[in-house]
Amino acid sequence: MKIGKKAITLLLTSAICVLPSFVSCGSGSDKIQLFFDGGGGSGNYTSTRNYDTLEQLAEEWNEKNDTYEIVINDVSLNGNRSSITSMLSAKTAPDMLMQVGNVINDDIGNGWYVDLTDYLQKPNPYEAGNVAWKDIYGDGAIAASAGPDGKNYYVCLDNIAIGMVYNMDLLAKAGVTKAPETYSELMDCFAALDTAKKAGKISAEIYMPSGLWYESYLGTSVYGEKIPEMDENGSGTVSSYELVKGYKEGKWSIEDERFEEFLRLCYEKSVYYPNNYLGYDVPYKFAKGQLAVTDAVGNMMVSMTKNARFNWTVTGYPRLDSEASKYGGQTVIRGSAGLSSAYWVTNSAMEKGQGAVDACVDFLMFLSASKNNSRLVNDLGYALPINVNDSTVKLFDGLKAQYKADQANENNLLWSACFIPGLLGTSFDDNYQLAMGDLYQDSEGKKTGDISAVVNTLKGKADESVQYLIEKYGWNFGG
């Protein structure tokens, strides 16, 4: 069993200490301990039987520091909100905490997190030639991860590997010889598979996604033309502030034609979902050759293709073309949904003093430096490094190539450039996901396509979320 020295220390001390894993009960060191919650967006960086790179990197950092010691928690909270918010309120959370970035609208203002904005302007000492830490991520990514107050409270340690996965043997039986590049080609592919299924050439289901990932890709695609109109600071992304301001000024609405077109596109592809799709086991069915097309993030891609006994291919999402929609024609960067695995320095570190806060930030700088980040991410093999070009996972080679090609065109959009549900907060996003489920199939498993019902449901929720954000942050748009 491969396990680092720090994990052994924690295992030994746990025999005589019943405190939670993020509380120190002594490790034989005089250093001040800083606890790190491993977790991860696509995979878990906490040590396992076959992976302990995060722990190794922590040990390397510890050897160079005389005052502080990074301790990797042996069990991660991994984004469990009920536990996390309770610990943050009690100031007992890990000093460095992993959770998704979209909780920022709800959480900032509580004094839970360190403001990292000024740190991001300083050089990362572990990256040769770096002038400002933020340059490792890029201005667009930094703008997209900022809170409604314009400040940055977290940094990410990987990029999501994401795209479509095709059973090419089944596509070949339907007369489809290559993976679709556009939304129109994808619909043609589904239609060909449907015809082949009705003719008895294939018996597999046609399409079932693993989540609402393509929806977010299509959402940014549909609203791409609106970005220059709403993006007041020229970052290339629409912030929550800019989105709310645009809403109040009538630049967009849940009831406008764009949002209805977005819903139409989503429903159009969902026609090919299996009946009672919510109970469908996507990874198992695809791996067994019983599903022709799906989409997935990196860890699921690994699981689905590892033992597949057929020809398969992984590509980025098909672009929304102008033939498929009057709002199509702009490319949202493929291959990655953007930065993931967000880490926050918490009020637990603040309680230990400014030196502890600085040490936590320094460790995050250490992990984000390209050499260390490549080890951290590639050794686990479920995501793309911060610098996507550093990826060495063969499964993701096609995604890396598409990402590089799309990113080279400055007119192409970041995945997060303007996706409304993610910008209006978790309450709206939760209601959006429920409404999308109702759009696709009712409680009896029948396809509905009732776009007006979704619009009616979300209109009131949008009003509530906009008003909540205005009141929380004191925004005044002059009217």
Side-chain angles (χ1 to χ4, degrees), residues 436-448:
M436 294 302 284
D438 293 338
L439 172 69
Y440 297 150
Q441 289 184 10
D442 62 19
S443 59
E444 297 179 354
K446 297 178 182 178
K447 296 176 174 62
T448 64

Side-chain angles (χ1 to χ4, degrees), residues 140-141 144 220 235-237 331-333 403 407 412-418:
T220 297
S235 67
T237 67
T331 296
V332 175
I333 295 173
Y403 183 88
Q407 193 183 44
N412 290 343
L413 304 171
L414 291 174
W415 186 294
S416 56
C418 185

Side-chain angles (χ1 to χ4, degrees), residues 39-146:
S42 297
N44 198 323
Y45 292 108
T46 303
S47 295
T48 63
R49 181 182 298 274
N50 298 311
Y51 177 86
D52 68 348
T53 303
L54 174 60
E55 189 173 296
Q56 291 178 29
L57 289 166
E59 290 175 358
E60 292 171 17
W61 186 92
N62 290 341
E63 289 174 359
K64 299 177 181 179
N65 196 289
D66 296 329
T67 306
Y68 297 96
E69 177 182 43
I70 302 296
V71 177
I72 308 301
N73 291 349
D74 50 356
V75 177
S76 172
L77 294 167
N78 217 27
N80 184 318
R81 284 291 287 169
S82 60
S83 297
I84 285 173
T85 54
S86 296
M87 291 178 184
L88 287 168
S89 297
K91 299 181 180 179
T92 59
D95 300 286
M96 288 160 281
L97 174 69
M98 196 293 299
Q99 60 179 336
V100 295
N102 64 6
V103 303
I104 196 167
N105 284 342
D106 300 314
D107 285 7
I108 62 172
N110 295 323
W112 290 347
Y113 311 118
V114 172
D115 178 3
L116 302 179
T117 309
D118 289 342
Y119 287 104
L120 285 161
Q121 303 298 325
K122 299 176 181 179
N124 183 329
Y126 303 104
E127 186 74 32
N130 180 254
V131 175
W133 187 18
K134 66 181 180 65
D135 295 340
I136 290 176
Y137 297 97
D139 289 341
I142 291 297
S145 62

Side-chain angles (χ1 to χ4, degrees), residues 319-354:
R319 301 185 303 272
L320 181 62
D321 53 308
S322 55
E323 289 75 21
S325 171
K326 65 180 180 179
Y327 298 119
Q330 290 188 303
T331 296
V332 175
I333 295 173
R334 299 165 294 169
S336 173
L339 292 166
S340 181
S341 299
Y343 290 85
W344 316 61
V345 180
T346 72
N347 50 7
S348 295
M350 298 181 210
E351 289 291 299
K352 296 176 182 178
Q354 186 61 47

Side-chain angles (χ1 to χ4, degrees), residues 200-217:
K201 294 181 180 179
I202 65 172
S203 59
E205 298 290 353
I206 297 169
Y207 173 54
M208 182 62 219
S210 63
L212 293 177
W213 292 103
Y214 201 12
E215 277 77 351
S216 61
Y217 186 89

Side-chain angles (χ1 to χ4, degrees), residues 117-338:
T117 309
D118 289 342
Y119 287 104
L120 285 161
Q121 303 298 325
K122 299 176 181 179
N124 183 329
Y126 303 104
E127 186 74 32
N130 180 254
V131 175
W133 187 18
K134 66 181 180 65
D135 295 340
I136 290 176
Y137 297 97
D139 289 341
I142 291 297
S145 62
D149 58 359
K151 298 178 180 179
N152 292 91
Y153 293 90
Y154 65 85
V155 292
C156 295
L157 293 181
D158 59 27
N159 273 285
I160 302 171
I162 192 169
M164 304 291 286
V165 190
Y166 299 92
N167 181 324
M168 296 307 294
D169 288 352
L170 291 176
L171 265 63
K173 290 180 180 179
V176 179
T177 58
K178 66 182 184 68
E181 286 281 336
T182 66
Y183 185 89
S184 293
E185 290 179 1
L186 182 67
M187 292 302 106
D188 290 342
C189 173
F190 290 163
L193 287 164
D194 189 45
T195 299
K197 185 173 181 178
K198 291 174 179 176
K201 294 181 180 179
I202 65 172
S203 59
E205 298 290 353
I206 297 169
Y207 173 54
M208 182 62 219
S210 63
L212 293 177
W213 292 103
Y214 201 12
E215 277 77 351
S216 61
Y217 186 89
L218 290 171
T220 297
S221 301
V222 167
Y223 279 89
E225 289 180 339
K226 300 288 288 185
I227 290 176
E229 184 180 348
M230 293 190 285
D231 177 25
E232 294 185 349
N233 63 7
S235 67
T237 67
V238 177
S239 67
S240 292
Y241 171 84
E242 291 167 337
L243 188 76
V244 169
K245 188 172 186 289
Y247 187 83
K248 298 299 288 186
E249 294 175 347
K251 294 178 180 177
W252 72 274
S253 167
I254 293 296
E255 299 173 292
D256 66 25
E257 289 185 2
R258 282 183 190 270
F259 196 77
E260 290 192 356
E261 173 67 356
F262 161 67
L263 295 176
R264 184 193 70 79
L265 291 165
C266 291
Y267 181 72
E268 184 178 22
K269 66 180 179 56
S270 78
V271 169
Y272 298 98
Y273 290 4
N275 289 330
N276 298 309
Y277 76 97
L278 291 175
Y280 195 79
D281 189 339
V282 175
Y284 177 83
K285 294 292 187 180
F286 185 85
K288 291 294 184 180
Q290 298 169 7
L291 175 64
V293 183
T294 186
D295 61 359
V297 293
N299 58 334
M300 290 188 66
M301 288 180 180
V302 173
S303 174
M304 289 191 297
T305 61
K306 185 176 182 179
N307 297 309
R309 298 293 187 266
F310 51 82
N311 293 313
W312 50 265
T313 192
V314 171
T315 72
Y317 281 111
R319 301 185 303 272
L320 181 62
D321 53 308
S322 55
E323 289 75 21
S325 171
K326 65 180 180 179
Y327 298 119
Q330 290 188 303
T331 296
V332 175
I333 295 173
R334 299 165 294 169
S336 173

